[in-house]
Amino acid sequence: RLDYTILCLEEKEEATKRLMNYCKSAVECFPLVSDYQKRQQFVDGLDEPVGAWNGADKAYKKANLHNSYFPEWLVLFFICYWYFSYGQKVILGTLGLGFFLADIRIIQQFGIEFGKLYSLCMEIECTFPDMCRTTIFLNKPTELEDRLMNEKDVLRRTRMLRKQLAASGEGALDRVPISLRNLRFEMGIQFNFRGTIEINQGTLACFVGPHGSGKTTLLKLLGNSLVRELKSGEVFMPAHLRCLHVSLTPCFFEGTFMENMCFGVQIPSDGAKDRVRAILRILRCEDCVDGGVESTDRKTWQSQLTVKQRHTLTLVRALIANPHVICIHKPTMAVGTVDSDVVMRTLTDFVNNRGIEQGSAPVEARRPRTVIFTSFRKSATKYADKIFKIEPGVISEITHDMVDDGFF
């Protein structure tokens, strides 16, 4: 029975996976399904995985039902055996009736307790698939060790460069550059970037180049969103800098508006309502949410906002977090020409003023701010202090007049 029960459980688990994968695929691809009017096709396609799951569930429940009778059958067998073996002794007078009935009662009570224990074992058996999945997930390889080794190396290099730069004056930490050199690594496919990127703190830097040349990958490496074992070369972001990678895809969670906007805040004063309100006003989106920063409504904001609002508020959240370095993908992609200039001027102010809405503290007393971005349109590159052209296998620094429309 054990082998058969486990087989039924495995078949049910496999059917559950197929059903969940089908539903997940339908949900993830719903915009495509809706656009091409294929809803009925997906609904009809659900019959097969649902039917398979129902069949597997029925077989498993049937096996469990039969298993549940095992304690009763076992007790009945022992009672019959006791009657057959010791009933004659009662008739012959060699065994007292009271002892005989007491033994029967003990067997019945044992059967009840054994039934409870057996039911508990059956429930434990049902958890095996979930326990197996949990064990597999908990033991999957992670990048934590790679990150730890990388952070130790970055800390060592930062200390070394600070010591070297300290000889030439004060503010050595603020003069440690961000750099990337001659990278070669594997991530499904082989990446090989020959060339050097060196960005001083307090710089607005831009990556341009043909689609598919690796701009996004390099930005993720610099933003520490992606950690890969390098076959050669180096990626260096000074250890003391708080770096924020801003993904191209906006993401909001269910909660209040302020909870979403202040998600990355580490210093309480950065999340002050007046500061949040001011940054919303700068980027012209203070009225995109009813109630604004005072709203206490908990919503699924991903579905409540327009595409433009989602992208703009993603930038707002990054500025509120007030990191030392922002690595952002195509910050002007979802806005028009006029708003594109607003976005780029805001990023320029973030760099020049060493933060946005930082109060009355002198600019010189603040840590430099750096922005590294990929550009969606040529007009955004005019705001950059440095421009790097990314081509398959080659990185090079170019001037503004070398920027071509074919890069976008």
Side-chain angles (χ1 to χ4, degrees):
R1 297 297 303 175
L2 178 62
D3 291 341
Y4 178 71
T5 304
I6 291 176
L7 176 63
C8 291
L9 187 59
E10 289 176 346
E11 289 178 351
K12 180 183 176 181
E13 181 67 16
E14 189 61 34
T16 302
K17 286 181 181 179
R18 289 200 300 270
L19 179 58
M20 291 177 62
N21 288 337
Y22 186 88
C23 293
K24 181 181 178 182
S25 174
V27 171
E28 289 178 345
C29 300
F30 180 75
L32 185 66
V33 174
S34 178
D35 291 342
Y36 284 84
Q37 300 180 6
K38 296 291 184 180
R39 299 187 186 191
Q40 192 58 44
Q41 179 179 324
F42 267 79
V43 172
D44 294 340
L46 192 60
D47 291 343
E48 191 276 328
V50 169
W53 187 88
N54 285 334
D57 184 58
K58 182 178 179 181
Y60 178 64
K61 286 181 177 178
K62 184 177 179 181
N64 262 353
L65 180 62
H66 291 168
N67 291 341
S68 66
Y69 286 117
F70 175 70
E72 297 179 23
W73 296 336
L74 189 62
V75 172
L76 183 60
F77 170 78
F78 275 113
I79 291 175
C80 291
Y81 172 77
W82 202 259
Y83 270 108
F84 179 77
S85 299
Y86 295 95
Q88 293 181 358
K89 292 185 179 182
V90 174
I91 295 172
L92 296 173
T94 57
L95 180 66
L97 180 59
F99 281 106
F100 179 79
L101 294 176
D103 290 340
I104 294 294
R105 181 61 180 166
I106 291 172
I107 294 173
Q108 289 176 334
Q109 191 62 37
F110 169 79
I112 293 172
E113 298 302 323
F114 177 73
K116 292 178 181 178
L117 179 62
Y118 188 77
S119 298
L120 181 60
C121 290
M122 289 175 59
E123 290 179 10
I124 293 174
E125 184 184 56
C126 294
T127 65
F128 283 173
D130 293 333
M131 289 177 65
C132 288
R133 276 200 300 269
T134 302
T135 302
I136 290 171
F137 288 145
L138 288 176
N139 288 278
K140 279 185 175 295
T142 67
E143 60 182 17
L144 292 178
E145 187 175 353
D146 292 336
R147 284 185 179 274
L148 180 60
M149 293 177 62
N150 179 63
E151 287 174 5
K152 286 182 177 179
D153 182 62
V154 167
L155 182 59
R156 179 189 59 80
R157 288 204 58 212
T158 302
R159 287 172 175 169
M160 181 184 69
L161 288 172
R162 179 187 184 183
K163 189 174 181 180
Q164 292 174 358
L165 293 170
S168 58
E170 297 181 352
L173 272 179
D174 292 345
R175 288 183 281 119
V176 177
I178 300 164
S179 62
L180 183 151
R181 291 184 177 84
N182 298 321
L183 289 184
R184 189 164 67 89
F185 61 93
E186 189 172 339
M187 195 177 69
I189 60 175
Q190 191 78 22
F191 284 89
N192 187 12
F193 294 102
R194 299 187 308 277
T196 299
I197 292 175
E198 187 167 296
I199 302 169
N200 293 325
Q201 295 179 52
T203 300
L204 185 65
C206 177
F207 290 171
V208 298
H211 292 291
S213 58
K215 301 185 297 295
T216 297
T217 302
L218 290 179
L219 204 60
K220 286 182 177 180
L221 286 169
L222 284 170
N224 205 29
S225 172
L226 180 66
V227 176
R228 307 304 300 179
E229 183 179 353
L230 302 180
K231 295 182 178 179
S232 64
E234 63 176 8
V235 179
F236 178 67
M237 176 69 66
H240 65 287
L241 296 181
R242 186 158 52 90
C243 181
L244 175 65
H245 172 265
V246 183
S247 175
L248 180 63
T249 305
C251 187
F252 297 84
F253 56 87
E254 185 176 353
T256 67
F257 181 67
M258 278 294 286
E259 286 174 348
N260 273 275
M261 290 298 94
C262 297
F263 183 68
V265 169
Q266 295 187 12
I267 302 173
S269 59
D270 287 338
K273 287 184 178 181
D274 289 341
R275 181 170 183 267
V276 173
R277 193 181 289 112
I279 295 175
L280 287 168
R281 191 180 304 115
I282 290 171
L283 287 167
R284 302 180 180 180
C285 55
E286 67 271 25
D287 298 325
C288 65
V289 174
D290 293 338
V293 298
E294 303 296 339
S295 174
T296 58
D297 295 336
R298 301 184 67 84
K299 298 181 181 180
T300 307
W301 296 101
Q302 197 76 13
S303 59
Q304 298 285 326
L305 302 168
T306 66
V307 173
K308 177 184 175 181
Q309 288 172 342
R310 289 201 296 267
H311 280 267
T312 306
L313 289 176
T314 296
L315 176 58
V316 169
R317 178 165 52 196
L319 294 173
I320 291 171
N322 198 23
H324 301 126
V325 182
I326 295 179
C327 296
I328 184 168
H329 299 265
K330 301 179 181 178
T332 63
M333 184 178 72
V335 297
T337 304
V338 176
D339 287 334
S340 172
D341 288 334
V342 172
V343 168
M344 293 311 303
R345 283 198 300 270
T346 303
L347 290 176
T348 302
D349 290 342
F350 175 78
V351 172
N352 293 339
N353 298 325
R354 299 190 173 189
I356 294 288
E357 296 295 323
Q358 291 293 283
S360 57
V363 173
E364 296 77 13
R366 306 172 195 160
R367 183 77 67 193
R369 299 299 194 270
T370 306
V371 174
I372 308 170
F373 70 99
T374 57
S375 182
F376 178 71
R377 43 170 61 94
K378 183 178 179 180
S379 59
T381 62
K382 68 182 181 183
Y383 293 92
D385 302 314
K386 278 192 170 187
I387 303 175
F388 295 92
K389 181 182 177 183
I390 313 298
E391 296 178 290
V394 180
I395 301 171
S396 57
E397 185 175 351
I398 61 175
T399 58
H400 288 81
D401 56 0
M402 296 171 67
V403 178
D404 188 80
D405 290 330
F407 295 164
F408 308 95

